Amino acid sequence: MSYQQIIRVLLMLLVTLKVGFIHCQSIWSNPITGNDPGIFNPYTTGEAKDMNISVSGIGRGVGVTGNAGDDRYNAKGWNSSSFDNGDYFSFTLMPSDLYKITFGTFVYTAQTSGTGPSSFVFRSSLDGFTVNLGSPSSSGATITLSSLPEIKYPSSIEFRLYAWGATSAAGTFSVDGFTFNGSAILPIQLLSFTERVEQNHILLNWSTATEQNNDYMAIERSYDGNNFSEIGRIKGAGSSLERIDYSFVDRFPYQGTNYYRLRQVDYDGTTTFHKVIAVEFTGESVNTLGFVPTPEGIQVQFRAPGAGGSIRLVDAAGRILRTQKFDDQSLSIQISTADLPRGFYVLQVRRADGKVEAWPLVK
């Protein structure tokens, strides 16, 4: 192996370790201390969680009842001879708006009484509580959860620790403390999103601090701050722990206020919208129209009546696909795109007074 190959392998190992470290932080834990925690359903006192998630507290199913016992979440009623859907301890996690949870491990300590349960399984709501995760036991375990998919807002996930096989209804099982390890992060952590107005275009700049599974970022523009349309895409870095700078030039801004936002898309198609910025443009090359997506295509909207003219839809090869005339009183035109394949197009407006404007469109 060459010196360069050795360095490359070492760098990959360092990145792997760094990513692994980030994904193995505690995102929710509770040492469970105090007088008789088991009488509460759920119990939340003493828990610590990541600020970017919400949690349920530890709770219990309808088939078991809380039981006295200090410094542990205790319950009795585990005496079913086989698995029972109502006999469990439960834990629910949900990411905050825009965030997603990646899991590493679930670690817990536990204890049973002499007549307590003897069989245990740990499952999740992702498959309707049917697949066993790890090997839970009466004294606790470390259960690996890294194979689970990311949980993205507004979804949540519930875990259940089931138990059965107690020899008496008074037999108890308790969780003494637990920790969920993983991460709760944004698909991209956006450091900044700024603009600079040039003579005949607008330059957009943004920077990310971290990225995770970032396929691409779409730049969207609006003329009213409400109806946005994509005008370009920038390839993402996938997963990164370093600052990355991006830029995009809007060569066809329109007169007045232009609104821009970033739409980030994961490899699995999950979409996250980021901040909107407003830019006032009074340069030489301007557009005086906007458009709103409709089920049939797009509705072109003029900011004010003009001298009349025609509008054309052109594909990436320069072929004219649609042509439609408008008069000096027109304020909107419907253009059908339902039968067109996905791709890049340009709307060209040719006015009777000789002005030509263009608007990029990505379907």
Side-chain angles (χ1 to χ4, degrees):
M1 181 180 290
S2 69
Y3 174 78
Q4 290 81 3
Q5 290 174 318
I6 293 174
I7 294 298
R8 187 177 298 113
V9 170
L10 289 174
L11 288 173
M12 291 176 64
L13 287 173
L14 286 172
V15 170
T16 301
L17 289 173
K18 191 172 183 183
V19 172
F21 175 75
I22 286 178
H23 286 275
C24 289
Q25 299 179 76
S26 171
I27 56 173
W28 181 24
S29 65
N30 194 335
I32 309 182
T33 59
N35 298 325
D36 299 330
I39 65 175
F40 299 94
N41 188 24
Y43 182 73
T44 60
T45 302
E47 67 183 14
K49 69 176 184 67
D50 189 288
M51 64 182 296
N52 299 312
I53 67 173
S54 58
V55 297
S56 63
I58 181 174
R60 60 176 180 269
V62 296
V64 293
T65 57
N67 197 63
D70 294 344
D71 303 327
R72 55 196 176 113
Y73 193 70
N74 196 25
K76 60 185 178 180
W78 310 92
N79 58 316
S80 299
S81 59
S82 59
F83 176 87
D84 188 298
N85 282 322
D87 298 354
Y88 59 83
F89 290 133
S90 66
F91 314 80
T92 300
L93 304 90
M94 179 178 180
S96 301
D97 190 9
L98 302 182
Y99 283 79
K100 58 185 179 181
I101 299 175
T102 300
F103 288 101
T105 58
F106 171 64
V107 183
Y108 75 99
T109 55
Q111 59 181 292
T112 60
S113 66
T115 57
S118 56
S119 298
F120 309 88
V121 294
F122 189 68
R123 298 176 177 179
S124 84
S125 58
L126 293 181
D127 50 34
F129 307 103
T130 57
V131 176
N132 295 342
L133 301 171
S135 301
S137 73
S138 61
S139 60
T142 296
I143 298 176
T144 300
L145 304 176
S146 56
S147 62
L148 297 179
E150 298 168 335
I151 306 302
K152 302 172 183 178
Y153 179 86
S155 298
S156 63
I157 182 171
E158 179 186 356
F159 294 95
R160 292 179 180 178
L161 177 57
Y162 291 92
W164 68 95
T167 57
S168 166
T172 64
F173 173 44
S174 63
V175 171
D176 300 346
F178 67 89
T179 299
F180 282 92
N181 295 305
S183 66
I185 62 174
L186 290 166
I188 66 170
Q189 183 182 351
L190 194 65
L191 290 175
S192 62
F193 183 30
T194 60
E195 85 292 334
R196 188 171 74 237
V197 179
E198 305 289 353
Q199 183 179 10
N200 58 2
H201 65 264
I202 295 174
L203 175 64
L204 303 173
N205 295 291
W206 66 96
S207 301
T208 61
T210 61
E211 300 182 23
Q212 187 179 39
N213 298 326
N214 180 23
D215 187 6
Y216 66 88
M217 287 167 284
I219 301 88
E220 297 187 341
R221 181 178 61 190
S222 169
Y223 65 91
D224 61 3
N226 295 312
N227 299 289
F228 285 85
S229 300
E230 183 178 329
I231 60 172
R233 292 184 182 182
I234 299 292
K235 185 67 178 175
S239 295
S240 169
L241 300 174
E242 308 296 336
R243 174 183 172 132
I244 300 179
D245 298 318
Y246 296 91
S247 64
F248 178 82
V249 177
D250 181 5
R251 301 189 183 280
F252 305 102
Y254 53 83
Q255 190 76 37
T257 304
N258 294 258
Y259 297 89
Y260 298 95
R261 73 179 179 187
L262 296 176
R263 189 182 86 247
Q264 184 272 328
V265 181
D266 283 0
Y267 289 121
D268 65 2
T270 301
T271 296
T272 303
F273 292 96
H274 292 267
K275 64 180 293 185
V276 176
I277 59 175
V279 187
E280 193 71 20
F281 184 80
T282 58
E284 296 178 0
S285 177
V286 299
N287 272 322
T288 59
L289 59 87
F291 65 87
V292 178
T294 68
E296 297 77 23
I298 54 175
Q299 184 183 61
V300 181
Q301 298 182 345
F302 297 96
R303 306 198 92 187
S310 65
I311 187 166
R312 301 192 305 185
L313 182 66
V314 181
D315 67 11
R319 293 172 295 192
I320 300 173
L321 306 177
R322 303 281 191 274
T323 300
Q324 191 166 336
K325 293 183 179 181
F326 58 91
D327 58 32
D328 58 3
Q329 298 300 311
S330 296
L331 289 177
S332 67
I333 297 174
Q334 180 71 33
I335 304 293
S336 174
T337 61
D339 61 332
L340 297 180
R342 294 185 180 274
F344 180 82
Y345 301 90
V346 176
L347 285 171
Q348 296 178 345
V349 178
R350 298 177 179 271
R351 297 186 180 275
D353 58 10
K355 292 182 179 179
V356 178
E357 303 171 13
W359 190 294
L361 168 66
V362 180
K363 181 182 178 183

